Amino acid sequence: MKLKIKTGDVVRIVAGDHKGTEGKVMSVDKLKNKAIVEGANMVSKHEKPSAKNPQGGIVKKEAPIHISNIALLDKDGNVTKVGYDIKDGKKVRVSKKSKEVI
């Protein structure tokens, strides 16, 4: 299945504990249909001491969110669905609400 959300997109969480939170997509996992959104769905992880982090301890980091629970935002900050169109011989993503290229 093709995902319509890509790394770098600005999205809003539309379901779950963090509903209404907006942020930039940091990474997308196509196999699991999940994305990591910057500043959203923060969890505490325990880390063992290592060379990189000699102290160890509890670290806050973003957890993945299912793609169905996030929606893409257009330039005006409105939630929109994604469509595709051919412009100048290239396939581009288009906002279904405003018909603008994303």
Side-chain angles (χ1 to χ4, degrees):
M1 185 170 109
K2 183 165 172 67
L3 301 181
K4 298 184 177 188
I5 303 227
K6 297 182 185 284
T7 303
D9 288 345
V10 179
V11 295
R12 180 179 298 152
I13 299 176
V14 295
D17 293 338
H18 302 276
K19 182 176 180 177
T21 307
E22 295 179 6
K24 195 178 218 180
V25 175
M26 294 173 22
S27 67
V28 177
D29 185 356
K30 289 184 178 184
L31 296 176
K32 295 181 182 175
N33 289 337
K34 293 187 179 227
I36 296 178
V37 180
E38 189 175 28
N41 200 21
M42 300 295 285
V43 294
S44 298
K45 292 294 231 179
H46 295 269
E47 279 195 0
K48 290 175 76 173
S50 64
K52 191 173 186 181
N53 185 6
Q55 197 66 29
I58 300 172
V59 178
K60 290 264 191 190
K61 60 193 297 186
E62 293 93 352
I65 303 170
H66 198 270
I67 293 287
S68 65
N69 294 333
I70 59 179
L72 187 67
L73 296 178
D74 60 6
K75 293 174 185 161
D76 302 328
N78 300 321
V79 173
T80 183
K81 290 186 178 180
V82 178
Y84 292 95
D85 203 4
I86 305 292
K87 302 253 183 185
D88 300 327
K90 287 194 170 190
K91 185 177 178 181
V92 292
R93 295 188 305 159
V94 177
S95 166
K96 289 227 178 178
K97 273 192 182 174
S98 63
K99 307 289 188 230
E100 293 179 6
V101 175
I102 298 173

